[in-house]
Amino acid sequence: MSDSSLRARLAALRDQLHHHSYQYYVLDAPQLPDAEYDRLFRELLDIEAAHPEWLSADSPSQRVGAEPLSSFSQVRHETPMLSLDNVFSEQELLDFDRRIKARLDDAVTPTYACEPKLDGIAVSLLYVDGILVRGATRGDGRVGEDITQNVKTITSIPLRLHGEGWPEELEVRGEIYMPRAGFERINAMGRETDGKVFVNPRNAAAGSLRQLDSRITAKRPLEMSCYGIAHQEGEALFTSHSEGLLRLREWGFLVSPELRVVDSIEGCVAYYQDLLARRDGLAYDIDGIVFKVDSLALQGQLGFVSRAPRWAIAHKFPAQEEITLLRDVEFQVGRTGAVTPVAKLEPVFVGGVTVSNASLHNFDEIGRLGVMVGDYVVVRRAGDVIPQIVQVVVERRPDSATAIVAPLTCPVCESLLERAPGEAVLRCSGGLVCGAQRKEAIKHFASRKAMDIDGLGDKLVEQFVDEGLIESVADLYLLTVEQIANLERMGQKSAENLIAALDKSRSTTLPRFLYSLGIREVGEATALNLAKHFGGLPELMAASEDMLIEVEDVGPIVASHLHAFFATEFNRDVVRQLCERGVHWPSAQKQGGAQPLAGQTWVLTGNLESMTRGEAKEKLQALGAKVAGSVSAKTDCVAAGASAGSKLAKAEALGVKVIDEQGLLDVFASSSNVE
Ligand code: 9MJ
């Protein structure tokens, strides 16, 4: 290819890659398979490697990072980067509205733009002639640090503006943050490699941006959500804050999909309540809501006080991190014998609930934290996950603090504890001799996603085992009304109901049965794959490890757990007894019938009336569909029950097919192989 056509090819590749990364990262609506994107990217890298003189500042290759800097240079913000005033109660928010109105003419009622307050790092981006030329941290608001190389690696930041109509010079502000999933992923990696983990996603984002080597930043899952325009050269292009943000979206920036404009402070209160209720379900941490007077003219009239605008306020949510006292550490034995240290805390209100226990995971984690009994610790509860201890407040350690000592024997059955080479967890060697493991195995067997034995809760299982009524899950099916009616907290009616529920559970499906056996590392998805692959239980039980590895998503570790489980005499006996005592499922032919939804991806959202979401998921899977947790352009159909929220909105925005509950029932009714 001649130089001129090669150069034209390079320009075309840049255009294509810009377009597709915008589709993928900003609109979440990919138009190309990942492999094709990668192929175009490699082609671009090859041409640039052969012709380094053709490299441009906006080339997508800039995303991979550049040579390390020796230090960050300083950047003066021509328009200072402001902070926000905070309020912590509805009353204070109403006071804010009153102050605003008192300053404005009687005739005007301000409308407010509402945005989630992201908990990240505030950053300014400068574009000249549509090209990103500078990225800077907020610093003290007047002088920040030049982090241009680092921001270029963030895929949701455009290196070159999209669309048209943008001013010659544009300064955009927003928050760089790390979504929770990415945070969990890099911490999991850190734990496995050098033991270094970040305390929370905010620290992880800050640490990633502070890198002098932008190739490290490039490996971190960062995003930027834009919430403001600092100044534009030339004539004003819009009259309201929200209009400006919508233009930013057209020009290639990620702007919160939660952005709304409301016409009164009551609308702000409702928005706050709605997002607070959905906080745990968001993909990123937010620490409150920001309300801004939407009209730029009114913003101008209101002006600033010291370092914060009068026209904006942050209404903070209850904190997700608090400090409390670690009173004691207890050791719990789980279903697989893993012994978990559990921190007993002075109760503390954090992330919307009162927390008095937190998992300490294992002794590696205790060593990493350097935590002792008697310490004050930072407890974090975010995103509906189990509360975690993330830090010790070393300055507050009392002289009386004592080390946490690993037990040598199981706190329940006194069998020796073992630590497998390379594993961080201590495990009880007692197997099903251990009362704790037996109880946990039976609780799991009875649980909703397993055999779904209605009314057989954790307390009852413990009582049955403690009274010597059952030793294994198979014994459940020998229980009689007479045996259990006289137990504490029982009675004739509940006993009859439980026996009826046990009887009902006899009729199940193979995936459920496999899942309920509680084999290590075999979750619902693996159980489904195993059932699909082998068709029947005897075939699975007879499979070698090599044959097991053939199953989708089964690796050598899962295969060895499966093989060991079915090689154990005790387990084979339990499985045989369960079948003898009436547990059964449809045969392979029936299960493997037509799969009219094969190859499709479905998403369930909202509340269903005629069934649980779990049941609907199972039925869809039986028809061959993959059931995903979030909506993207690849979703084939969204089934939305009552009060469906953001997933429904996203489906509509992306033009994905949506059906209601009746529509879902019609799909089930018209498919022949429903259980
Ligand atoms: C955050 N942190 O999400 C502002 N912010 O506006 C939003 N911060 C802000 N707006 C003016 N959504 C100064 C800071």
Side-chain angles (χ1 to χ4, degrees):
M1 209 186 274
S2 73
D3 263 12
S4 69
S5 48
L6 197 59
R7 201 160 181 172
R9 176 66 188 153
L10 180 63
L13 283 168
R14 274 201 303 262
D15 286 350
Q16 274 179 299
L17 288 163
H18 272 300
H19 171 78
H20 290 295
S21 90
Y22 175 63
Q23 288 292 327
Y24 187 94
Y25 292 106
V26 179
L27 302 185
D28 197 12
Q31 295 174 330
L32 273 190
D34 293 355
E36 178 63 9
Y37 182 90
D38 292 345
R39 203 189 59 71
L40 295 174
F41 198 85
R42 268 197 309 277
E43 191 183 344
L44 172 107
L45 290 181
D46 287 347
I47 301 178
E48 285 182 351
H51 294 275
E53 70 280 11
W54 293 348
L55 195 79
S56 62
D58 67 338
S59 168
S61 62
Q62 301 288 303
R63 301 269 193 223
V64 297
E67 287 296 311
L69 305 171
S70 53
S71 66
F72 293 118
S73 50
Q74 292 198 330
V75 170
R76 175 163 292 279
H77 299 296
E78 283 187 37
T79 313
M81 288 187 77
L82 303 167
S83 52
L84 291 168
D85 278 339
N86 293 321
V87 294
F88 295 89
S89 69
E90 192 175 319
Q91 186 54 53
E92 288 177 291
L93 182 64
L94 299 178
D95 292 344
F96 161 78
D97 179 55
R98 211 163 295 126
R99 284 198 304 276
I100 297 271
K101 286 180 177 151
R103 284 192 166 264
L104 297 176
D105 289 343
D106 285 347
V108 289
T109 320
T111 57
Y112 290 106
C114 316
E115 307 160 4
K117 182 170 185 303
L118 283 153
D119 200 7
I121 311 300
V123 163
S124 141
L125 302 176
L126 183 64
Y127 291 80
V128 176
D129 293 329
I131 304 291
L132 173 63
V133 295
R134 195 194 71 193
T137 60
R138 175 171 179 276
D140 65 5
R142 298 194 171 275
V143 178
E145 284 180 326
D146 187 323
I147 52 163
T148 310
Q149 291 303 341
N150 294 0
V151 300
K152 280 188 172 180
T153 68
I154 298 175
T155 41
S156 52
I157 293 178
L159 300 176
R160 175 211 290 179
L161 297 181
H162 293 247
E164 52 198 30
W166 29 264
E168 259 173 46
E169 191 174 309
L170 175 73
E171 187 182 341
V172 177
R173 286 174 180 178
E175 202 84 354
I176 292 183
Y177 62 98
M178 189 177 285
R180 283 184 196 137
F183 167 72
E184 300 295 343
R185 194 170 72 237
I186 63 164
N187 266 3
M189 242 154 60
R191 247 182 225 114
E192 271 173 28
T193 50
D194 53 8
K196 291 207 187 96
V197 301
F198 292 104
V199 165
N200 54 37
R202 186 182 185 286
N203 286 22
S208 304
L209 281 184
R210 219 180 290 122
Q211 296 293 333
L212 289 165
D213 186 347
S214 53
R215 293 168 301 194
I216 299 178
T217 316
K219 297 199 179 95
R220 301 282 169 80
L222 298 172
E223 294 195 355
M224 176 160 171
S225 177
C226 296
Y227 54 66
I229 298 170
H231 69 116
Q232 337 140 196
E233 294 291 295
E235 60 185 304
L237 294 171
F238 25 79
T239 59
S240 72
H241 171 72
S242 56
E243 201 186 325
L245 294 190
L246 296 181
R247 295 304 294 276
L248 286 188
R249 199 179 272 161
E250 287 169 16
W251 295 338
F253 296 92
L254 184 67
V255 170
S256 174
E258 305 290 348
L259 170 72
R260 301 282 180 280
V261 178
V262 299
D263 58 12
S264 68
I265 199 71
E266 287 73 29
C268 294
V269 172
Y271 181 92
Y272 174 91
Q273 294 298 351
D274 172 55
L275 225 61
L276 179 59
R278 292 195 286 117
R279 180 188 198 181
D280 285 348
L282 297 178
Y284 40 81
D285 274 6
I286 61 175
D287 59 352
I289 305 293
V290 185
F291 300 113
K292 295 173 180 166
V293 170
D294 198 31
S295 152
L296 296 183
L298 295 185
Q299 285 188 4
Q301 284 177 35
L302 289 160
F304 304 84
V305 257
S306 65
R307 309 255 301 274
R310 278 207 191 86
W311 41 263
I313 199 83
H315 189 179
K316 299 291 278 283
F317 285 156
Q320 288 184 317
E321 286 182 10
E322 288 289 356
I323 293 177
T324 191
L325 173 68
L326 173 62
R327 285 179 176 162
D328 197 8
V329 173
E330 285 181 1
F331 296 92
Q332 277 177 5
V333 187
R335 176 160 58 82
T336 59
V339 175
T340 312
V342 178
K344 299 282 155 179
L345 304 168
E346 184 75 33
V348 62
F349 190 73
V350 55
V353 296
T354 300
V355 168
S356 43
N357 295 318
S359 171
L360 278 164
H361 301 289
N362 53 51
F363 269 85
D364 284 0
E365 178 80 353
I366 290 175
R368 192 185 64 71
L369 288 166
V371 63
M372 298 171 82
V373 172
D375 266 334
Y376 283 87
V377 292
V378 178
V379 178
R380 174 178 160 82
R381 184 198 173 267
D384 221 4
V385 295
I386 311 163
Q388 314 277 328
I389 291 179
V390 293
Q391 221 170 10
V392 176
V393 189
V394 183
E395 309 85 71
R396 288 181 67 182
R397 173 169 291 164
D399 291 342
S400 57
T402 54
I404 301 166
V405 184
L408 296 174
T409 57
C410 173
V412 176
C413 71
E414 298 186 358
S415 300
L416 278 181
L417 297 186
E418 295 169 338
R419 187 167 165 158
E423 264 202 52
V425 277
L426 284 173
R427 236 174 251 287
C428 166
S429 60
L432 290 174
V433 170
C434 175
Q437 289 183 60
R438 240 183 301 143
K439 281 177 184 170
E440 294 309 313
I442 300 170
K443 286 177 195 171
H444 171 77
F445 183 83
S447 64
R448 207 167 43 79
K449 290 178 179 169
M451 299 299 277
D452 194 17
I453 305 172
D454 209 19
L456 185 53
D458 291 359
K459 285 264 164 347
L460 214 47
V461 169
E462 294 189 7
Q463 209 177 351
F464 288 172
V465 175
D466 291 341
E467 301 270 346
L469 290 175
I470 56 174
E471 286 197 352
S472 76
V473 293
D475 295 344
L476 285 168
Y477 294 101
L478 296 177
L479 288 172
T480 61
V481 174
E482 295 71 41
Q483 266 182 314
I484 59 176
N486 292 329
L487 292 179
E488 220 180 297
R489 288 193 304 270
M490 260 290 166
Q492 186 66 23
K493 191 70 206 150
S494 14
E496 282 171 10
N497 287 345
L498 182 61
I499 297 301
L502 273 162
D503 191 36
K504 185 166 164 230
S505 77
R506 283 186 165 96
S507 168
T508 186
T509 64
L510 181 56
R512 260 183 193 273
F513 180 77
L514 292 175
Y515 173 67
S516 71
L517 293 175
I519 304 164
R520 269 175 75 185
E521 311 276 345
V522 177
E524 283 174 284
T526 307
L528 187 65
N529 290 342
L530 288 165
K532 273 193 193 151
H533 186 94
F534 289 103
L537 184 61
E539 292 82 351
L540 167 60
M541 287 177 72
S544 65
E545 288 188 45
D546 285 347
M547 289 158 80
L548 288 162
I549 292 173
E550 306 265 302
V551 180
E552 197 183 336
D553 288 337
V554 172
I557 296 180
V558 182
S560 80
H561 289 322
L562 277 159
H563 194 257
F565 184 91
F566 289 117
T568 306
E569 184 85 21
F570 178 88
N571 295 331
R572 297 178 76 91
D573 280 348
V574 169
V575 168
R576 189 177 36 76
Q577 286 164 356
L578 283 168
C579 296
E580 283 168 9
R581 292 168 194 175
V583 174
H584 64 278
W585 49 86
S587 65
Q589 288 88 340
K590 197 163 168 210
Q591 278 200 349
Q595 296 211 313
L597 307 184
Q600 295 191 11
T601 302
W602 283 57
V603 172
L604 291 162
T605 183
N607 301 319
L608 301 174
E609 274 176 16
S610 55
M611 67 195 113
T612 65
R613 242 192 278 174
E615 286 164 353
K617 179 176 172 184
E618 238 173 51
K619 288 190 176 173
L620 286 170
Q621 286 173 334
L623 297 176
K626 188 169 155 243
V627 180
S630 60
V631 179
S632 76
K634 288 182 186 160
T635 310
D636 292 286
C637 185
V638 172
S643 338
S646 60
K647 288 182 193 168
L648 174 58
K650 187 159 178 194
E652 283 166 352
L654 291 176
V656 170
K657 181 178 167 195
V658 176
I659 59 172
D660 62 6
E661 180 163 359
Q662 189 52 51
L664 184 64
L665 291 173
D666 293 345
V667 170
F668 292 154
S670 64
S671 311
S672 56
N673 73 331
V674 186
E675 295 162 74

